[in-house]
Amino acid sequence: METTKRAREEVRWEDMLFLLLISGAALLTRFYLFPIESNDYQQFLQNWFATLKENGGLAAIGMNIGDYMPPYFYILALLTYLPFNDLYLIKLVSCTADFVLAYYVMRAVSLRYPGRPQGFMAYAVVLFLPSVVLNSAAWAQCDAMYTAALLACLYYLLVNRPNRAVLAFSIAFVLKLQAIFFAPFLLLLVLKRKIKLRSLVLIPAVYILSIIPAAIMGRSLWDLLTVYVSQSKLYTSLCMSIPNLYAFLGNVASEPLGDAGVIFAGGAVLMLLYALYRKEYTITPDILVTIGLLFAILMPFILPHMHERYYFLADIVSVVFAFYFPKKLYAAVIMCVSSACATANYLFGLVYYPQQLLAIAILINLVLLMKHLWELLSQNPIQRRVEAAV
């Protein structure tokens, strides 16, 4: 007994040492990328930060500065009080979110492999994914923030904490509109009665709470309530360097095609939801992870006006999926390579493969994922209690 306990303590210390070293290496890697100034920083973030700083930091949160939701501007406003380079501060916040994101991936994978090192390896993989490193440390984007909240949502679903899952989704939604990629996933669980309908009240509640400080400081309440409506009208191009369905039309702007594309995407999601709702099956962790990945890929693939970084959520969930299903590693490879190519294309002007070729690879990935999901559903029928005849 003593030998076993000592062995467990040694493994625990080794695991902690590994996490410490890998976290330090990940942070150092990001630090070397901090001096890079992306177009997004030069055109938007730098000006937003300067405006907040010149107008008193938190005193300026009532100004209509940019097209993001107020919580991100609250964070920027707090950063203005620190005597450091604004570029570094903005990136440091996003990089912090990288570690939160990796933590929830580790927790989700550890559920599948309790007491084994796979969870720690998943943590390391996420921290060194090219799309994750470049998004925060080079691009100065904050996609890790909303994605970390969505991975928390997935984790709480896996441990059967639906209210916490909806709360995590609500936090993701007030950080980025792209949180809606998980919305059909939650809706399905509501239909399957795994999430209570009344729990959804958390979504508008968190939204209202998030905009109150900005409204108190003078920003128009109507503007705050319609941030995402205004944001959705900013871009007219059907495809913005993302390998999805609209990559085959080229970088064109067409309002009729865009509107039709949104309706088409809604119809496709509705059909999938109907099929998943009508089929009878026991919802297992394997099925939750697979459905989560399916919607994370499908939504940005079939929606128009998507940006090159909108597979970010799919990248991360695909890592969890690969650890749950090691034989399906190709799913994560396809997503992460495609995202890395799209990111490198935007940041550095590098074109490795035709965008349409990557789109075809992702389409094949989707088809194989749907096949895998249907097999899982068929293997996990609802166990009905049969009463013995008297």
PDB file of all heavy atoms in Angstrom, residues 166 170 173-174 198-211 225:
ATOM      1  N   VAL A 166     -24.650  26.062 -19.462  1.00  0.00           N
ATOM      2  CA  VAL A 166     -25.369  27.181 -20.082  1.00  0.00           C
ATOM      3  C   VAL A 166     -24.754  28.511 -19.649  1.00  0.00           C
ATOM      4  O   VAL A 166     -24.635  29.444 -20.446  1.00  0.00           O
ATOM      5  CB  VAL A 166     -26.867  27.131 -19.716  1.00  0.00           C
ATOM      6  CG1 VAL A 166     -27.592  28.362 -20.262  1.00  0.00           C
ATOM      7  CG2 VAL A 166     -27.509  25.867 -20.284  1.00  0.00           C
ATOM      8  N   SER A 170     -23.190  31.324 -22.027  1.00  0.00           N
ATOM      9  CA  SER A 170     -23.628  32.720 -21.943  1.00  0.00           C
ATOM     10  C   SER A 170     -22.438  33.665 -21.891  1.00  0.00           C
ATOM     11  O   SER A 170     -22.441  34.734 -22.526  1.00  0.00           O
ATOM     12  CB  SER A 170     -24.509  32.920 -20.699  1.00  0.00           C
ATOM     13  OG  SER A 170     -25.598  32.026 -20.693  1.00  0.00           O
ATOM     14  N   PHE A 173     -20.938  33.899 -25.280  1.00  0.00           N
ATOM     15  CA  PHE A 173     -21.776  34.684 -26.188  1.00  0.00           C
ATOM     16  C   PHE A 173     -21.567  36.184 -26.018  1.00  0.00           C
ATOM     17  O   PHE A 173     -21.645  36.934 -26.989  1.00  0.00           O
ATOM     18  CB  PHE A 173     -23.252  34.333 -25.972  1.00  0.00           C
ATOM     19  CG  PHE A 173     -24.181  35.022 -26.937  1.00  0.00           C
ATOM     20  CD1 PHE A 173     -24.151  34.711 -28.289  1.00  0.00           C
ATOM     21  CD2 PHE A 173     -25.079  35.974 -26.484  1.00  0.00           C
ATOM     22  CE1 PHE A 173     -25.004  35.365 -29.189  1.00  0.00           C
ATOM     23  CE2 PHE A 173     -25.936  36.615 -27.363  1.00  0.00           C
ATOM     24  CZ  PHE A 173     -25.904  36.313 -28.723  1.00  0.00           C
ATOM     25  N   VAL A 174     -21.288  36.640 -24.796  1.00  0.00           N
ATOM     26  CA  VAL A 174     -21.068  38.078 -24.608  1.00  0.00           C
ATOM     27  C   VAL A 174     -19.628  38.473 -24.930  1.00  0.00           C
ATOM     28  O   VAL A 174     -19.274  39.656 -24.859  1.00  0.00           O
ATOM     29  CB  VAL A 174     -21.425  38.545 -23.178  1.00  0.00           C
ATOM     30  CG1 VAL A 174     -22.895  38.293 -22.891  1.00  0.00           C
ATOM     31  CG2 VAL A 174     -20.538  37.892 -22.125  1.00  0.00           C
ATOM     32  N   ARG A 198     -35.806  26.275 -18.773  1.00  0.00           N
ATOM     33  CA  ARG A 198     -35.674  27.481 -17.948  1.00  0.00           C
ATOM     34  C   ARG A 198     -34.212  27.886 -17.742  1.00  0.00           C
ATOM     35  O   ARG A 198     -33.934  29.035 -17.401  1.00  0.00           O
ATOM     36  CB  ARG A 198     -36.366  27.283 -16.606  1.00  0.00           C
ATOM     37  CG  ARG A 198     -35.776  26.211 -15.707  1.00  0.00           C
ATOM     38  CD  ARG A 198     -36.446  26.237 -14.334  1.00  0.00           C
ATOM     39  NE  ARG A 198     -35.924  25.208 -13.443  1.00  0.00           N
ATOM     40  CZ  ARG A 198     -36.486  24.027 -13.270  1.00  0.00           C
ATOM     41  NH1 ARG A 198     -37.595  23.717 -13.945  1.00  0.00           N
ATOM     42  NH2 ARG A 198     -35.969  23.151 -12.434  1.00  0.00           N
ATOM     43  N   SER A 199     -33.300  26.938 -17.938  1.00  0.00           N
ATOM     44  CA  SER A 199     -31.878  27.268 -17.778  1.00  0.00           C
ATOM     45  C   SER A 199     -31.423  28.283 -18.832  1.00  0.00           C
ATOM     46  O   SER A 199     -30.466  29.033 -18.609  1.00  0.00           O
ATOM     47  CB  SER A 199     -31.024  26.002 -17.882  1.00  0.00           C
ATOM     48  OG  SER A 199     -31.330  25.092 -16.854  1.00  0.00           O
ATOM     49  N   LEU A 200     -32.104  28.316 -19.966  1.00  0.00           N
ATOM     50  CA  LEU A 200     -31.714  29.212 -21.054  1.00  0.00           C
ATOM     51  C   LEU A 200     -31.902  30.680 -20.707  1.00  0.00           C
ATOM     52  O   LEU A 200     -31.401  31.558 -21.408  1.00  0.00           O
ATOM     53  CB  LEU A 200     -32.498  28.875 -22.327  1.00  0.00           C
ATOM     54  CG  LEU A 200     -32.284  27.465 -22.901  1.00  0.00           C
ATOM     55  CD1 LEU A 200     -33.021  27.322 -24.223  1.00  0.00           C
ATOM     56  CD2 LEU A 200     -30.801  27.166 -23.086  1.00  0.00           C
ATOM     57  N   VAL A 201     -32.642  30.954 -19.621  1.00  0.00           N
ATOM     58  CA  VAL A 201     -32.813  32.347 -19.207  1.00  0.00           C
ATOM     59  C   VAL A 201     -31.470  32.961 -18.818  1.00  0.00           C
ATOM     60  O   VAL A 201     -31.309  34.193 -18.796  1.00  0.00           O
ATOM     61  CB  VAL A 201     -33.816  32.438 -18.029  1.00  0.00           C
ATOM     62  CG1 VAL A 201     -33.182  31.969 -16.724  1.00  0.00           C
ATOM     63  CG2 VAL A 201     -34.334  33.865 -17.869  1.00  0.00           C
ATOM     64  N   LEU A 202     -30.495  32.121 -18.529  1.00  0.00           N
ATOM     65  CA  LEU A 202     -29.159  32.617 -18.189  1.00  0.00           C
ATOM     66  C   LEU A 202     -28.532  33.393 -19.345  1.00  0.00           C
ATOM     67  O   LEU A 202     -27.756  34.331 -19.130  1.00  0.00           O
ATOM     68  CB  LEU A 202     -28.237  31.451 -17.818  1.00  0.00           C
ATOM     69  CG  LEU A 202     -28.468  30.808 -16.449  1.00  0.00           C
ATOM     70  CD1 LEU A 202     -27.693  29.504 -16.337  1.00  0.00           C
ATOM     71  CD2 LEU A 202     -28.070  31.769 -15.344  1.00  0.00           C
ATOM     72  N   ILE A 203     -28.875  33.017 -20.565  1.00  0.00           N
ATOM     73  CA  ILE A 203     -28.248  33.673 -21.735  1.00  0.00           C
ATOM     74  C   ILE A 203     -28.625  35.148 -21.812  1.00  0.00           C
ATOM     75  O   ILE A 203     -27.731  36.011 -21.834  1.00  0.00           O
ATOM     76  CB  ILE A 203     -28.606  32.910 -23.027  1.00  0.00           C
ATOM     77  CG1 ILE A 203     -28.092  31.470 -22.945  1.00  0.00           C
ATOM     78  CG2 ILE A 203     -28.020  33.624 -24.241  1.00  0.00           C
ATOM     79  CD1 ILE A 203     -28.529  30.585 -24.098  1.00  0.00           C
ATOM     80  N   PRO A 204     -29.931  35.516 -21.840  1.00  0.00           N
ATOM     81  CA  PRO A 204     -30.252  36.947 -21.849  1.00  0.00           C
ATOM     82  C   PRO A 204     -29.857  37.648 -20.555  1.00  0.00           C
ATOM     83  O   PRO A 204     -29.510  38.840 -20.571  1.00  0.00           O
ATOM     84  CB  PRO A 204     -31.770  36.979 -22.065  1.00  0.00           C
ATOM     85  CG  PRO A 204     -32.257  35.638 -21.639  1.00  0.00           C
ATOM     86  CD  PRO A 204     -31.146  34.688 -21.976  1.00  0.00           C
ATOM     87  N   ALA A 205     -29.903  36.909 -19.428  1.00  0.00           N
ATOM     88  CA  ALA A 205     -29.545  37.530 -18.147  1.00  0.00           C
ATOM     89  C   ALA A 205     -28.076  37.975 -18.145  1.00  0.00           C
ATOM     90  O   ALA A 205     -27.755  39.102 -17.746  1.00  0.00           O
ATOM     91  CB  ALA A 205     -29.802  36.549 -17.000  1.00  0.00           C
ATOM     92  N   VAL A 206     -27.195  37.087 -18.595  1.00  0.00           N
ATOM     93  CA  VAL A 206     -25.768  37.425 -18.647  1.00  0.00           C
ATOM     94  C   VAL A 206     -25.525  38.537 -19.667  1.00  0.00           C
ATOM     95  O   VAL A 206     -24.713  39.449 -19.438  1.00  0.00           O
ATOM     96  CB  VAL A 206     -24.926  36.174 -18.990  1.00  0.00           C
ATOM     97  CG1 VAL A 206     -23.476  36.549 -19.268  1.00  0.00           C
ATOM     98  CG2 VAL A 206     -24.990  35.168 -17.848  1.00  0.00           C
ATOM     99  N   TYR A 207     -26.242  38.505 -20.769  1.00  0.00           N
ATOM    100  CA  TYR A 207     -26.107  39.553 -21.789  1.00  0.00           C
ATOM    101  C   TYR A 207     -26.469  40.918 -21.202  1.00  0.00           C
ATOM    102  O   TYR A 207     -25.721  41.896 -21.361  1.00  0.00           O
ATOM    103  CB  TYR A 207     -27.008  39.235 -22.983  1.00  0.00           C
ATOM    104  CG  TYR A 207     -26.777  40.128 -24.185  1.00  0.00           C
ATOM    105  CD1 TYR A 207     -26.005  39.695 -25.249  1.00  0.00           C
ATOM    106  CD2 TYR A 207     -27.321  41.409 -24.244  1.00  0.00           C
ATOM    107  CE1 TYR A 207     -25.783  40.501 -26.356  1.00  0.00           C
ATOM    108  CE2 TYR A 207     -27.102  42.232 -25.338  1.00  0.00           C
ATOM    109  CZ  TYR A 207     -26.339  41.779 -26.393  1.00  0.00           C
ATOM    110  OH  TYR A 207     -26.119  42.602 -27.477  1.00  0.00           O
ATOM    111  N   ILE A 208     -27.610  40.987 -20.508  1.00  0.00           N
ATOM    112  CA  ILE A 208     -28.043  42.256 -19.914  1.00  0.00           C
ATOM    113  C   ILE A 208     -27.036  42.745 -18.880  1.00  0.00           C
ATOM    114  O   ILE A 208     -26.666  43.931 -18.852  1.00  0.00           O
ATOM    115  CB  ILE A 208     -29.442  42.111 -19.272  1.00  0.00           C
ATOM    116  CG1 ILE A 208     -30.497  41.814 -20.339  1.00  0.00           C
ATOM    117  CG2 ILE A 208     -29.813  43.384 -18.507  1.00  0.00           C
ATOM    118  CD1 ILE A 208     -30.658  42.877 -21.392  1.00  0.00           C
ATOM    119  N   LEU A 209     -26.584  41.823 -18.023  1.00  0.00           N
ATOM    120  CA  LEU A 209     -25.595  42.202 -17.012  1.00  0.00           C
ATOM    121  C   LEU A 209     -24.316  42.735 -17.649  1.00  0.00           C
ATOM    122  O   LEU A 209     -23.687  43.659 -17.127  1.00  0.00           O
ATOM    123  CB  LEU A 209     -25.267  41.000 -16.127  1.00  0.00           C
ATOM    124  CG  LEU A 209     -26.333  40.597 -15.095  1.00  0.00           C
ATOM    125  CD1 LEU A 209     -25.936  39.296 -14.408  1.00  0.00           C
ATOM    126  CD2 LEU A 209     -26.536  41.699 -14.063  1.00  0.00           C
ATOM    127  N   SER A 210     -23.929  42.167 -18.784  1.00  0.00           N
ATOM    128  CA  SER A 210     -22.669  42.566 -19.425  1.00  0.00           C
ATOM    129  C   SER A 210     -22.723  43.964 -20.029  1.00  0.00           C
ATOM    130  O   SER A 210     -21.688  44.618 -20.191  1.00  0.00           O
ATOM    131  CB  SER A 210     -22.292  41.547 -20.509  1.00  0.00           C
ATOM    132  OG  SER A 210     -23.092  41.710 -21.665  1.00  0.00           O
ATOM    133  N   ILE A 211     -23.918  44.437 -20.373  1.00  0.00           N
ATOM    134  CA  ILE A 211     -24.020  45.750 -21.021  1.00  0.00           C
ATOM    135  C   ILE A 211     -24.403  46.859 -20.047  1.00  0.00           C
ATOM    136  O   ILE A 211     -24.321  48.046 -20.406  1.00  0.00           O
ATOM    137  CB  ILE A 211     -25.026  45.728 -22.194  1.00  0.00           C
ATOM    138  CG1 ILE A 211     -26.457  45.504 -21.688  1.00  0.00           C
ATOM    139  CG2 ILE A 211     -24.622  44.678 -23.223  1.00  0.00           C
ATOM    140  CD1 ILE A 211     -27.510  45.585 -22.782  1.00  0.00           C
ATOM    141  N   LEU A 225     -27.910  46.594 -27.266  1.00  0.00           N
ATOM    142  CA  LEU A 225     -28.747  45.418 -27.495  1.00  0.00           C
ATOM    143  C   LEU A 225     -28.610  44.864 -28.906  1.00  0.00           C
ATOM    144  O   LEU A 225     -28.934  43.707 -29.164  1.00  0.00           O
ATOM    145  CB  LEU A 225     -30.215  45.757 -27.219  1.00  0.00           C
ATOM    146  CG  LEU A 225     -30.581  46.021 -25.754  1.00  0.00           C
ATOM    147  CD1 LEU A 225     -32.011  46.550 -25.648  1.00  0.00           C
ATOM    148  CD2 LEU A 225     -30.426  44.759 -24.919  1.00  0.00           C
TER     149      LEU A 225
END
